[in-house]
Amino acid sequence: MYVFMKEKEKLKTFIPQDEIHELLEKTKNPDPVRVKEILAKSLSKERLEPEETATLLNVEDRDLIEEMFIAARKLKETIYGNRIVLFAPLYIGNECVNDCVYCGFRTSNKKVLRKTLTEEELKEEVKALVNKGHKRLIVVYGEHSKYSPQFIAKTIDIIYNTKLGNGEIRRVNVNAAPQSVEGYKIIKSVGIGTFQIFQETYHYPTYKKLHPKGPKSNFAWRLYGLDRAMMAGIDDVGIGALFGLYDWKFEVMGLLYHTIHLEERFGVGPHTISFPRIEPAVNTPFSQKPPHPVSDFDFKRLVSIIRLSVPYTGMILTARERPDLRDEVIKLGVSQIDAGSSIGVGSYSNKDPETVKKSQFLLADRRSLDEVIRELMKSGFIPSFCTACYRAGRTGEHFMEFAIPGFVKRFCTPNAIFTLTEYLCDYATQETKEIGWKLIEKEIEKMDDGIKEAVKKGVERIKRGERDVRF
Ligand code: SAM
Ligand code: SF4
């Protein structure tokens, strides 16, 4: 198997570098009839083949691009409805032995203060997050011998056991360095949600150039990192590319080939796909002027093409993006966003201005969780903190949402309403409550008679003080 192979300059993996270039070349100036055929295939909920995605990537005609946006919106609405799942990132430690040129945490960056949360500090961070209403986190670590699988497992265990009032964290996802199968098993044992690894760039020569040092310089070890997670029994894995490092069209193709590889090898594709764009990081000139910047318009294209190419996968949009753009992009296919985020180590509980020096990069969306929730509801979305599937052992919920007719109506929308009700009772401002209660009433009215009464009863139980009501 390639993972254990010594790396050669021309590495053979499931990312066929030359084939991707050839496909992108061959499908230039696509025939509009062919494009419409592909959009129809997406709308019938089929995953696209590389040649089809390459064709969509080569659409340059504005009217056809608009048709692509319309198809992506339609696909999202019909499969996933109007829920948006909310989470927050929690940085545990920023020590790192790698030297990724775009990242503020890279080992050669002497202007970043290195910090790993102590147990007490971690508990304070969790309480601060719970106190705002969060239920789902992604925990983030640099790559360092301090952050062993045992350490990661321990921090997650502390998070689950730190409760405050009615609140608690119910799902912890992880973004950390790739592990060995044994390492993943240790982390899995404390009950994690998704394990995320972003390949950053699927273009091998660019990868080699931008990751000059440390374990991350091994392209294949990282590329097969989620294979090992699945071999260890972690069912939900998240892939991603960091946009701005190389041609965005190549990266979308990379994400698709990665998806196909996981499908073929494990019978199921990734749980989520992330598509961060590079943000400016402290003392990191590369991040201020990335070599392949992606315009807002192209960003919308790539989000809609990922949605159309892999209809069954969750898509994550982060607070790296500006609020106005986030609103537009969510409609194109996004299912999860972070809100009220702070990405300095210790920055939820400690408002010290020095924390920015412990931050990885700067966020463009600095709205509070309450503000984001209010604005989502004003735009007709139901903010959700649902963790029901994962806790009921229904892993791969995005797949079920997509594959089982009526699943969203029967499970996702009611559970979104229940978790929103908890939020309104325990954490919302007056203004948010007013909008929220109206939205809940309206959403319940739209429901089929079969479940309407059960949802009404669930909401009443929560209002009377019960928590964690779910289907
Ligand atoms: N150290 C682990 C790793 O590299 O996989 C996990 C944590 S790392 C902080 C998480 C992600 O942050 C990286 O995978 C990368 O995509 C992203 N990132 C790094 N620098 C960034 C920047 N300047 N702007 C936006 N995202 C960045
Ligand atoms: Fe370290 Fe991850 Fe940043 Fe690279 S991206 S320098 S591995 S924290």
Side-chain angles (χ1 to χ4, degrees), residues 91 96 102-105 140-143 175-178 197-198 200 216 222 242 276-281 287 320 360-361:
Y91 280 64
C96 195
Y102 45 82
C103 180
F105 294 168
V140 185
Y141 308 76
E143 182 157 2
N175 187 321
I197 300 174
F198 303 159
E200 321 296 11
K216 196 161 164 180
R222 193 168 180 88
L242 182 58
R277 283 193 290 188
I278 294 189
E279 287 298 317
S287 68
R320 291 172 177 90
Q360 191 195 1
F361 49 82

Side-chain angles (χ1 to χ4, degrees), residues 111-146:
K111 294 235 167 94
V112 149
L113 296 179
R114 302 294 163 172
K115 170 80 191 150
T116 301
L117 296 177
T118 62
E119 284 188 21
E120 277 319 304
E121 288 166 337
L122 174 58
K123 287 180 193 162
E124 288 310 309
E125 287 288 274
V126 176
K127 283 184 199 160
L129 283 157
V130 166
N131 210 19
K132 293 259 184 295
H134 282 291
K135 300 281 186 279
R136 305 170 61 109
L137 299 184
I138 176 127
V139 284
V140 185
Y141 308 76
E143 182 157 2
H144 194 273
S145 55
K146 276 189 187 170

Side-chain angles (χ1 to χ4, degrees), residues 82-317:
N82 56 348
R83 292 160 308 116
I84 288 288
V85 169
L86 296 168
F87 69 95
L90 171 57
Y91 280 64
I92 308 285
N94 66 4
E95 307 231 19
C96 195
V97 294
N98 293 317
D99 213 16
C100 316
V101 298
Y102 45 82
C103 180
F105 294 168
R106 71 192 183 286
T107 188
S108 60
N109 190 0
K110 302 298 174 217
K111 294 235 167 94
V112 149
L113 296 179
R114 302 294 163 172
K115 170 80 191 150
T116 301
L117 296 177
T118 62
E119 284 188 21
E120 277 319 304
E121 288 166 337
L122 174 58
K123 287 180 193 162
E124 288 310 309
E125 287 288 274
V126 176
K127 283 184 199 160
L129 283 157
V130 166
N131 210 19
K132 293 259 184 295
H134 282 291
K135 300 281 186 279
R136 305 170 61 109
L137 299 184
I138 176 127
V139 284
V140 185
Y141 308 76
E143 182 157 2
H144 194 273
S145 55
K146 276 189 187 170
Y147 310 143
S148 62
Q150 289 80 358
F151 174 86
I152 293 176
K154 175 130 199 245
T155 50
I156 295 169
D157 205 41
I158 292 173
I159 293 170
Y160 281 131
N161 287 303
T162 304
K163 317 223 174 202
L164 186 70
N166 282 333
E168 62 188 347
I169 298 300
R170 297 177 182 156
R171 176 172 173 133
V172 180
N173 300 326
V174 184
N175 187 321
Q179 309 287 324
S180 65
V181 175
E182 284 315 306
Y184 284 117
K185 284 187 183 160
I186 294 167
I187 297 171
K188 178 184 154 59
S189 70
V190 289
I192 64 161
T194 312
F195 200 103
Q196 281 187 351
I197 300 174
F198 303 159
Q199 189 59 26
E200 321 296 11
T201 173
Y202 286 95
H203 185 244
Y204 182 63
T206 304
Y207 187 96
K208 290 305 281 181
K209 210 164 66 197
L210 303 184
H211 303 95
K213 223 159 102 179
K216 196 161 164 180
S217 58
N218 187 334
F219 180 85
W221 175 254
R222 193 168 180 88
L223 189 63
Y224 287 86
L226 292 171
D227 286 52
R228 296 191 299 280
M230 287 198 144
M231 284 155 73
I234 296 176
D235 299 325
D236 290 347
V237 299
I239 64 173
L242 182 58
F243 283 88
L245 303 180
Y246 188 61
D247 176 20
W248 64 270
K249 297 183 180 179
F250 189 97
E251 306 298 10
V252 172
M253 294 297 285
L255 291 166
L256 180 67
Y257 276 98
H258 201 160
T259 298
I260 294 172
H261 166 76
L262 293 173
E263 274 178 16
E264 285 175 350
R265 184 153 181 215
F266 299 99
V268 50
H271 186 64
T272 53
I273 299 183
S274 300
F275 32 87
R277 283 193 290 188
I278 294 189
E279 287 298 317
V282 174
N283 191 35
T284 306
F286 183 97
S287 68
Q288 321 272 353
K289 222 175 170 308
H292 294 269
V294 177
S295 68
D296 288 354
F297 184 64
D298 287 345
F299 188 63
K300 284 168 42 183
R301 284 167 76 190
L302 76 85
V303 172
S304 59
I305 295 171
I306 295 172
R307 175 70 302 147
L308 292 164
S309 300
V310 191
Y312 62 78
T313 298
M315 290 176 64
I316 301 180
L317 177 72

Side-chain angles (χ1 to χ4, degrees), residues 292-453:
H292 294 269
V294 177
S295 68
D296 288 354
F297 184 64
D298 287 345
F299 188 63
K300 284 168 42 183
R301 284 167 76 190
L302 76 85
V303 172
S304 59
I305 295 171
I306 295 172
R307 175 70 302 147
L308 292 164
S309 300
V310 191
Y312 62 78
T313 298
M315 290 176 64
I316 301 180
L317 177 72
T318 70
R320 291 172 177 90
E321 304 299 340
R322 299 185 321 273
D324 59 318
L325 184 68
R326 277 183 118 188
D327 285 352
E328 271 189 72
V329 170
I330 286 172
K331 299 190 179 101
L332 296 172
V334 169
S335 51
Q336 296 186 26
I337 63 169
D338 60 331
S341 299
S342 190
I343 56 172
V345 182
S347 57
Y348 289 108
S349 50
N350 178 357
K351 293 291 168 210
D352 173 6
E354 283 286 287
T355 357
V356 78
K357 294 202 191 138
K358 298 173 200 152
S359 287
Q360 191 195 1
F361 49 82
L362 304 172
L363 294 177
D365 185 350
R366 307 203 158 201
R367 292 173 297 174
S368 68
L369 176 62
D370 196 72
E371 258 178 290
V372 172
I373 288 189
R374 195 162 59 233
E375 284 175 26
L376 282 173
M377 294 192 301
K378 280 187 190 161
S379 311
F381 293 106
I382 317 176
S384 173
F385 294 94
C386 179
T387 52
C389 278
Y390 146 76
R391 283 153 75 236
R394 298 190 297 251
T395 43
E397 79 253 32
H398 293 305
F399 191 77
M400 286 188 265
E401 288 169 30
F402 157 85
I404 302 175
F407 189 89
V408 170
K409 274 191 184 165
R410 267 186 292 136
F411 291 96
C412 309
T413 309
N415 287 330
I417 288 176
F418 293 153
T419 52
L420 179 61
T421 303
E422 285 186 334
Y423 178 80
L424 296 180
C425 290
D426 292 339
Y427 307 103
T429 56
Q430 195 49 39
E431 196 187 346
T432 303
K433 277 188 187 169
E434 279 163 22
I435 299 171
W437 293 130
K438 279 193 198 128
L439 177 91
I440 288 177
E441 210 174 295
K442 204 173 91 198
E443 289 296 329
I444 294 180
E445 273 321 303
K446 283 199 290 195
M447 288 180 166
D448 296 344
D449 286 341
I451 54 164
K452 199 185 267 181
E453 286 312 309

